[in-house]
Amino acid sequence: MTTAQASPRAKLRLGDRIFTGSTLTAGIVILAALAAVAIFLLAQSIPALVADPADLKGSPSSFWEFVGPLAFGTVWSAFLALLMALPVALGIALFISHYAPRRIAQGLGYIIDLLAAVPSVVFGLWGIGVLAPAITPLYQWLVENVGWFPLFAPPVSGTGKTILTVAIVLAVMILPIITAVTREVFLQTPVLHEEAALALGATRWEMIKIAVLPFGRPGIISAAMLGLGRALGETMVVAMVLSPGVLITFVLTGPENSPTIAGNIALNFPEAHGLGVNALIATGLILFVITLIINSIARFVINRRKAFSGAN
């Protein structure tokens, strides 16, 4: 009996060996590709990082002063997009998973999945052709009536090409990603947990707060990070919609805005040459580091949450 029990562990079947080898190879390839990208960015960035500041176009004193507004604009626009998209996505996901009838839920699920497949250039055209002109009167009203608040300080943009417009378009873009992931997470909530909460007299919303949201919290964080990563690296929408400046500003409705790294690369790379190319690649390295740090923080939070849940 001991031999029979040990035999399957000692010798894996052919299919198991193939699957194990395939997954191991895929993991190694991903790590190798990530390392290759990091090495390329670092090697190409060194000339810009050690160059004389006077040789860097658009950098009045140093490379870091040049990349500062870019990094700020990237994080600021992505944060605004996530701030707008996450509550809406959670509401849609909860409606599909726990409120809507099955036929309506299936239809909404298909629509959400199709929305995720729309190219970013289409969102950019919608943002510059429809959203920006339509939202300009709102910006004017905000500046006239709430201009004392720093986020809406004058002057106001007359074209609607502001960081807030970009954030709204980015929020629409990342909405399907967050919704699709959180919907599947909510559907995996153990039925016994939900039924136990309802049996104790909880309403449907109380059941969601007690059973569904705590169970899906790691998935919500993961979905938010996926959406944030999409917003951080978006290029076409920012290049088409935003009217960039060269400053760091929190104003949401002004004519000059902090540019983003991806948008700046898209706009300037075709005409860049020599050290200018290295400077743009160096900004790409900064975006790589920002994304890596944000995802690492999210992974730490998720792992800590799992460890805490396991200890309890």
Coordinates of all heavy atoms in Angstrom, one line a residue, residues 19-93:
F19 N 2.4 19.8 -18.7 CA 1.8 21.0 -18.2 C 2.7 21.8 -17.2 O 2.9 23.0 -17.2 CB 0.5 20.6 -17.4 CG -0.2 21.8 -16.8 CD1 -0.9 22.7 -17.6 CD2 -0.1 22.0 -15.4 CE1 -1.6 23.8 -17.0 CE2 -0.8 23.1 -14.9 CZ -1.5 24.0 -15.6
T20 N 3.4 21.0 -16.3 CA 4.4 21.6 -15.4 C 5.5 22.3 -16.1 O 5.9 23.5 -15.8 CB 4.9 20.6 -14.4 OG1 3.9 19.9 -13.7 CG2 5.9 21.2 -13.4
G21 N 6.0 21.7 -17.1 CA 7.1 22.3 -17.9 C 6.7 23.5 -18.7 O 7.4 24.5 -18.8
S22 N 5.4 23.5 -19.2 CA 4.9 24.6 -19.9 C 4.7 25.8 -19.0 O 5.1 26.9 -19.4 CB 3.6 24.2 -20.6 OG 3.8 23.2 -21.5
T23 N 4.1 25.6 -17.9 CA 3.9 26.7 -17.0 C 5.3 27.3 -16.5 O 5.4 28.5 -16.3 CB 3.1 26.3 -15.8 OG1 3.7 25.1 -15.1 CG2 1.7 25.9 -16.2
L24 N 6.2 26.4 -16.2 CA 7.5 26.9 -15.7 C 8.2 27.7 -16.8 O 8.8 28.7 -16.6 CB 8.4 25.7 -15.3 CG 9.8 26.0 -14.9 CD1 9.8 26.9 -13.6 CD2 10.6 24.7 -14.6
T25 N 8.1 27.2 -18.1 CA 8.7 27.9 -19.2 C 8.0 29.3 -19.4 O 8.7 30.3 -19.6 CB 8.6 27.1 -20.5 OG1 9.2 25.8 -20.3 CG2 9.2 27.8 -21.7
A26 N 6.7 29.3 -19.3 CA 6.0 30.6 -19.4 C 6.4 31.6 -18.4 O 6.6 32.8 -18.7 CB 4.5 30.3 -19.4
G27 N 6.6 31.1 -17.1 CA 7.0 32.0 -16.1 C 8.4 32.5 -16.3 O 8.7 33.7 -16.1
I28 N 9.3 31.7 -16.8 CA 10.7 32.1 -17.1 C 10.7 33.1 -18.2 O 11.4 34.1 -18.2 CB 11.6 30.9 -17.4 CG1 11.7 30.0 -16.1 CG2 12.9 31.3 -17.9 CD1 12.5 28.7 -16.3
V29 N 9.9 32.9 -19.2 CA 9.9 33.8 -20.4 C 9.4 35.1 -20.0 O 9.9 36.2 -20.4 CB 9.0 33.2 -21.5 CG1 8.7 34.2 -22.6 CG2 9.6 32.0 -22.1
I30 N 8.3 35.2 -19.1 CA 7.8 36.5 -18.6 C 8.9 37.2 -17.9 O 9.1 38.4 -18.1 CB 6.6 36.2 -17.8 CG1 5.4 35.7 -18.6 CG2 6.2 37.5 -17.1 CD1 4.2 35.4 -17.8
L31 N 9.6 36.5 -16.9 CA 10.6 37.2 -16.2 C 11.8 37.7 -17.1 O 12.3 38.7 -16.9 CB 11.1 36.2 -15.1 CG 10.2 35.9 -14.0 CD1 10.8 34.9 -13.0 CD2 9.7 37.1 -13.2
A32 N 12.1 36.8 -18.0 CA 13.2 37.2 -19.0 C 12.8 38.4 -19.8 O 13.6 39.3 -20.0 CB 13.6 36.0 -19.9
A33 N 11.6 38.4 -20.3 CA 11.1 39.6 -21.1 C 11.1 40.9 -20.2 O 11.5 41.9 -20.7 CB 9.7 39.3 -21.6
L34 N 10.6 40.8 -19.0 CA 10.6 41.9 -18.1 C 12.0 42.4 -17.8 O 12.3 43.6 -17.8 CB 9.9 41.5 -16.8 CG 9.7 42.7 -15.8 CD1 8.8 43.7 -16.4 CD2 9.1 42.1 -14.5
A35 N 13.0 41.5 -17.6 CA 14.4 41.9 -17.3 C 15.0 42.5 -18.6 O 15.7 43.5 -18.5 CB 15.2 40.6 -16.9
A36 N 14.6 42.0 -19.8 CA 15.2 42.5 -21.0 C 14.7 44.0 -21.2 O 15.4 44.8 -21.6 CB 14.8 41.6 -22.2
V37 N 13.4 44.2 -20.9 CA 12.8 45.6 -21.1 C 13.5 46.5 -20.1 O 13.9 47.6 -20.5 CB 11.3 45.5 -20.8 CG1 10.8 46.9 -20.7 CG2 10.6 44.8 -21.9
A38 N 13.7 46.1 -18.9 CA 14.4 46.9 -17.9 C 15.8 47.2 -18.3 O 16.3 48.4 -18.2 CB 14.3 46.2 -16.5
I39 N 16.5 46.2 -18.8 CA 17.9 46.5 -19.2 C 18.0 47.4 -20.4 O 18.8 48.3 -20.4 CB 18.6 45.1 -19.5 CG1 18.7 44.3 -18.2 CG2 20.0 45.3 -20.2 CD1 19.2 42.9 -18.5
F40 N 17.1 47.2 -21.3 CA 17.1 48.1 -22.5 C 16.8 49.6 -22.1 O 17.5 50.5 -22.5 CB 16.0 47.7 -23.5 CG 15.7 48.7 -24.5 CD1 16.5 48.8 -25.6 CD2 14.6 49.4 -24.4 CE1 16.3 49.8 -26.6 CE2 14.3 50.4 -25.4 CZ 15.1 50.6 -26.5
L41 N 15.8 49.8 -21.2 CA 15.4 51.1 -20.8 C 16.6 51.8 -20.0 O 16.9 52.9 -20.2 CB 14.2 51.1 -19.9 CG 12.9 50.7 -20.6 CD1 11.7 50.6 -19.6 CD2 12.5 51.8 -21.7
L42 N 17.2 51.0 -19.1 CA 18.3 51.5 -18.3 C 19.5 51.9 -19.2 O 20.1 52.9 -19.1 CB 18.7 50.5 -17.3 CG 19.8 50.9 -16.3 CD1 19.3 52.2 -15.5 CD2 20.1 49.8 -15.3
A43 N 19.9 51.0 -20.1 CA 21.0 51.2 -21.0 C 20.8 52.4 -21.9 O 21.7 53.2 -22.1 CB 21.3 50.0 -21.8
Q44 N 19.6 52.6 -22.4 CA 19.3 53.7 -23.3 C 19.1 55.0 -22.5 O 19.2 56.1 -23.1 CB 18.1 53.4 -24.2 CG 18.3 52.3 -25.1 CD 19.3 52.6 -26.2 OE1 19.4 53.7 -26.7 NE2 20.1 51.6 -26.6
S45 N 18.8 54.9 -21.3 CA 18.6 56.1 -20.5 C 19.8 56.7 -19.9 O 19.8 57.9 -19.6 CB 17.6 55.8 -19.3 OG 16.4 55.2 -19.8
I46 N 20.9 56.0 -19.8 CA 22.1 56.5 -19.1 C 22.6 57.7 -19.8 O 23.0 58.7 -19.1 CB 23.2 55.3 -19.1 CG1 22.7 54.3 -18.1 CG2 24.5 55.9 -18.7 CD1 23.7 53.1 -18.0
P47 N 22.7 57.8 -21.2 CA 23.2 59.0 -21.8 C 22.5 60.2 -21.4 O 23.1 61.3 -21.2 CB 23.1 58.7 -23.3 CG 23.2 57.2 -23.4 CD 22.5 56.7 -22.2
A48 N 21.1 60.1 -21.3 CA 20.3 61.3 -20.9 C 20.5 61.6 -19.4 O 20.5 62.8 -19.0 CB 18.9 61.1 -21.2
L49 N 20.7 60.6 -18.6 CA 20.8 60.8 -17.1 C 22.1 61.5 -16.8 O 22.2 62.3 -15.8 CB 20.7 59.5 -16.4 CG 19.3 58.8 -16.5 CD1 19.3 57.5 -15.8 CD2 18.2 59.7 -15.9
V50 N 23.2 61.2 -17.6 CA 24.5 61.8 -17.2 C 24.9 63.0 -18.1 O 26.0 63.5 -18.0 CB 25.6 60.7 -17.3 CG1 25.3 59.6 -16.4 CG2 25.7 60.1 -18.7
A51 N 24.0 63.3 -19.1 CA 24.4 64.4 -20.0 C 24.3 65.8 -19.4 O 23.7 66.0 -18.3 CB 23.4 64.3 -21.2
D52 N 24.9 66.7 -20.1 CA 24.9 68.1 -19.6 C 23.4 68.6 -19.8 O 22.8 68.5 -20.8 CB 25.8 69.0 -20.5 CG 25.9 70.4 -20.0 OD1 25.2 70.8 -19.1 OD2 26.7 71.1 -20.6
P53 N 22.8 69.2 -18.7 CA 21.5 69.7 -18.8 C 21.2 70.6 -20.0 O 20.1 70.6 -20.5 CB 21.2 70.4 -17.5 CG 22.2 69.7 -16.6 CD 23.4 69.4 -17.4
A54 N 22.2 71.4 -20.4 CA 22.0 72.3 -21.5 C 21.7 71.6 -22.9 O 21.2 72.1 -23.8 CB 23.2 73.2 -21.7
D55 N 22.2 70.3 -22.9 CA 22.0 69.5 -24.2 C 20.6 68.9 -24.3 O 20.3 68.3 -25.3 CB 23.1 68.4 -24.3 CG 24.5 69.0 -24.4 OD1 24.6 70.2 -24.8 OD2 25.4 68.4 -24.0
L56 N 19.8 68.9 -23.2 CA 18.5 68.2 -23.2 C 17.5 69.3 -23.6 O 17.2 70.2 -22.8 CB 18.2 67.7 -21.8 CG 19.1 66.5 -21.3 CD1 18.7 66.1 -19.9 CD2 18.9 65.3 -22.2
K57 N 16.8 69.0 -24.7 CA 15.8 69.9 -25.2 C 14.6 69.9 -24.2 O 14.1 68.8 -23.9 CB 15.4 69.5 -26.6 CG 14.3 70.5 -27.2 CD 13.9 70.0 -28.5 CE 12.8 70.9 -29.1 NZ 12.4 70.4 -30.4
G58 N 14.1 71.1 -23.8 CA 13.0 71.1 -22.9 C 13.3 71.0 -21.5 O 12.4 70.9 -20.7
S59 N 14.6 70.8 -21.1 CA 15.0 70.7 -19.7 C 15.8 71.9 -19.3 O 17.0 72.0 -19.7 CB 15.8 69.4 -19.5 OG 16.2 69.3 -18.2
P60 N 15.2 72.9 -18.7 CA 16.0 74.1 -18.4 C 17.1 74.0 -17.4 O 18.1 74.7 -17.5 CB 14.9 75.0 -17.7 CG 13.8 74.1 -17.2 CD 13.9 72.9 -18.2
S61 N 17.1 73.0 -16.5 CA 18.2 72.9 -15.6 C 18.7 71.5 -15.4 O 19.8 71.3 -15.1 CB 17.8 73.5 -14.2 OG 16.7 72.8 -13.7
S62 N 17.8 70.5 -15.4 CA 18.2 69.1 -15.2 C 17.2 68.2 -15.8 O 16.0 68.6 -16.1 CB 18.4 68.8 -13.7 OG 17.1 68.9 -13.1
F63 N 17.6 67.0 -16.0 CA 16.6 65.9 -16.5 C 15.5 65.8 -15.5 O 14.3 65.6 -16.0 CB 17.4 64.6 -16.7 CG 16.4 63.5 -17.0 CD1 15.9 63.3 -18.3 CD2 16.1 62.6 -16.0 CE1 15.0 62.2 -18.5 CE2 15.2 61.5 -16.2 CZ 14.7 61.4 -17.5
W64 N 15.7 65.8 -14.2 CA 14.6 65.6 -13.3 C 13.6 66.7 -13.3 O 12.4 66.5 -13.0 CB 15.3 65.4 -11.9 CG 16.2 64.3 -11.9 CD1 17.6 64.3 -11.8 CD2 15.8 62.9 -12.0 NE1 18.1 63.0 -11.8 CE2 17.0 62.1 -11.9 CE3 14.6 62.2 -12.1 CZ2 17.1 60.7 -12.0 CZ3 14.7 60.8 -12.2 CH2 15.9 60.1 -12.2
E65 N 14.0 67.9 -13.6 CA 13.1 69.0 -13.8 C 12.3 68.8 -15.0 O 11.1 69.2 -15.1 CB 13.8 70.4 -13.8 CG 12.8 71.5 -13.8 CD 13.6 72.9 -13.7 OE1 14.7 72.9 -13.2 OE2 13.0 73.9 -14.0
F66 N 12.9 68.2 -16.0 CA 12.2 67.9 -17.3 C 11.1 66.8 -17.1 O 10.0 66.8 -17.5 CB 13.2 67.5 -18.3 CG 12.6 66.8 -19.5 CD1 11.8 67.5 -20.4 CD2 12.9 65.5 -19.8 CE1 11.2 66.9 -21.5 CE2 12.3 64.9 -20.9 CZ 11.5 65.6 -21.8
V67 N 11.5 65.7 -16.3 CA 10.6 64.6 -16.1 C 9.6 64.8 -15.0 O 8.6 64.1 -14.9 CB 11.5 63.3 -15.9 CG1 11.9 63.2 -14.4 CG2 10.7 62.1 -16.2
G68 N 9.9 65.8 -14.1 CA 9.0 66.0 -13.0 C 7.5 66.2 -13.4 O 6.6 65.5 -12.9
P69 N 7.2 67.2 -14.3 CA 5.8 67.4 -14.7 C 5.2 66.2 -15.4 O 4.0 66.0 -15.3 CB 5.9 68.7 -15.6 CG 7.2 69.4 -15.2 CD 8.1 68.3 -14.8
L70 N 6.1 65.5 -16.1 CA 5.6 64.3 -16.9 C 5.1 63.2 -15.9 O 4.0 62.7 -16.0 CB 6.7 63.8 -17.8 CG 7.2 64.7 -18.9 CD1 8.3 64.0 -19.6 CD2 6.0 65.1 -19.8
A71 N 6.0 63.0 -14.9 CA 5.6 62.0 -13.9 C 4.4 62.4 -13.1 O 3.5 61.6 -12.8 CB 6.8 61.7 -13.0
F72 N 4.3 63.7 -12.7 CA 3.2 64.1 -12.0 C 1.9 64.0 -12.8 O 0.9 63.6 -12.3 CB 3.4 65.6 -11.5 CG 2.2 66.2 -10.9 CD1 1.8 66.0 -9.6 CD2 1.3 67.0 -11.7 CE1 0.7 66.5 -9.0 CE2 0.2 67.6 -11.1 CZ -0.1 67.4 -9.8
G73 N 1.9 64.5 -14.0 CA 0.8 64.4 -14.9 C 0.3 63.0 -15.1 O -0.9 62.7 -15.2
T74 N 1.2 62.0 -15.2 CA 0.9 60.6 -15.4 C 0.1 60.1 -14.2 O -0.9 59.5 -14.3 CB 2.2 59.8 -15.7 OG1 2.8 60.3 -16.8 CG2 1.8 58.3 -15.9
V75 N 0.7 60.3 -13.0 CA 0.1 59.8 -11.8 C -1.2 60.5 -11.5 O -2.2 59.9 -11.1 CB 1.1 59.9 -10.6 CG1 0.4 59.5 -9.3 CG2 2.3 59.1 -10.9
W76 N -1.3 61.8 -11.7 CA -2.4 62.6 -11.4 C -3.6 62.2 -12.3 O -4.7 62.0 -11.8 CB -2.1 64.1 -11.6 CG -3.2 65.1 -11.2 CD1 -3.5 66.2 -12.0 CD2 -4.0 65.2 -10.1 NE1 -4.5 66.9 -11.4 CE2 -4.8 66.3 -10.2 CE3 -4.1 64.4 -8.9 CZ2 -5.7 66.7 -9.2 CZ3 -5.0 64.8 -7.9 CH2 -5.8 65.9 -8.1
S77 N -3.4 62.1 -13.6 CA -4.5 61.8 -14.5 C -5.0 60.3 -14.2 O -6.2 60.1 -14.2 CB -4.1 61.9 -15.9 OG -3.0 61.0 -16.2
A78 N -4.1 59.4 -14.0 CA -4.5 58.0 -13.7 C -5.2 57.9 -12.3 O -6.2 57.2 -12.2 CB -3.2 57.1 -13.6
F79 N -4.8 58.7 -11.3 CA -5.5 58.7 -10.1 C -6.9 59.2 -10.2 O -7.9 58.7 -9.6 CB -4.7 59.5 -9.0 CG -5.4 59.8 -7.8 CD1 -5.5 58.8 -6.8 CD2 -6.0 61.0 -7.5 CE1 -6.2 59.0 -5.6 CE2 -6.7 61.3 -6.3 CZ -6.8 60.3 -5.4
L80 N -7.1 60.3 -10.9 CA -8.4 60.9 -11.1 C -9.3 59.9 -11.9 O -10.5 59.7 -11.5 CB -8.3 62.2 -11.9 CG -7.7 63.4 -11.2 CD1 -7.5 64.5 -12.2 CD2 -8.5 63.8 -10.0
A81 N -8.7 59.2 -12.9 CA -9.5 58.2 -13.6 C -10.0 57.1 -12.7 O -11.1 56.6 -12.8 CB -8.7 57.7 -14.8
L82 N -9.0 56.6 -11.9 CA -9.4 55.5 -11.0 C -10.4 56.0 -10.0 O -11.3 55.2 -9.6 CB -8.1 55.0 -10.3 CG -8.3 53.8 -9.4 CD1 -8.8 52.6 -10.2 CD2 -7.0 53.5 -8.7
L83 N -10.3 57.2 -9.5 CA -11.2 57.7 -8.5 C -12.6 57.8 -9.0 O -13.6 57.5 -8.3 CB -10.8 59.1 -8.1 CG -11.5 59.7 -6.9 CD1 -11.2 58.9 -5.6 CD2 -11.0 61.2 -6.7
M84 N -12.8 58.1 -10.3 CA -14.1 58.1 -10.9 C -14.6 56.8 -11.4 O -15.8 56.5 -11.3 CB -14.1 59.1 -12.1 CG -13.9 60.5 -11.8 SD -14.0 61.6 -13.2 CE -12.4 61.4 -13.9
A85 N -13.7 55.9 -11.8 CA -14.2 54.6 -12.4 C -14.5 53.6 -11.4 O -15.4 52.8 -11.6 CB -13.1 54.1 -13.4
L86 N -13.7 53.5 -10.3 CA -13.8 52.4 -9.3 C -15.2 52.3 -8.7 O -15.8 51.2 -8.7 CB -12.7 52.5 -8.3 CG -12.7 51.4 -7.3 CD1 -12.4 50.1 -8.0 CD2 -11.5 51.6 -6.3
P87 N -15.8 53.4 -8.2 CA -17.1 53.3 -7.6 C -18.2 52.8 -8.6 O -19.0 52.0 -8.3 CB -17.4 54.7 -7.0 CG -16.1 55.3 -6.9 CD -15.2 54.8 -8.0
V88 N -18.1 53.4 -9.8 CA -19.1 53.1 -10.8 C -18.9 51.6 -11.2 O -19.9 50.9 -11.4 CB -18.9 54.0 -12.0 CG1 -19.9 53.6 -13.1 CG2 -19.1 55.4 -11.6
A89 N -17.7 51.2 -11.4 CA -17.4 49.8 -11.8 C -17.9 48.8 -10.7 O -18.5 47.8 -11.0 CB -15.9 49.5 -12.0
L90 N -17.7 49.1 -9.4 CA -18.2 48.3 -8.4 C -19.7 48.2 -8.3 O -20.3 47.1 -8.1 CB -17.7 48.8 -7.0 CG -16.2 48.7 -6.8 CD1 -15.8 49.2 -5.4 CD2 -15.7 47.2 -6.9
G91 N -20.3 49.4 -8.6 CA -21.8 49.4 -8.6 C -22.3 48.5 -9.8 O -23.3 47.8 -9.6
I92 N -21.7 48.6 -10.9 CA -22.2 47.8 -12.1 C -22.0 46.4 -11.8 O -22.8 45.5 -12.1 CB -21.5 48.3 -13.4 CG1 -21.8 49.7 -13.7 CG2 -21.8 47.4 -14.5 CD1 -21.0 50.3 -14.9
A93 N -20.8 46.0 -11.3 CA -20.5 44.6 -11.0 C -21.5 44.0 -10.0 O -21.9 42.9 -10.1 CB -19.1 44.5 -10.5

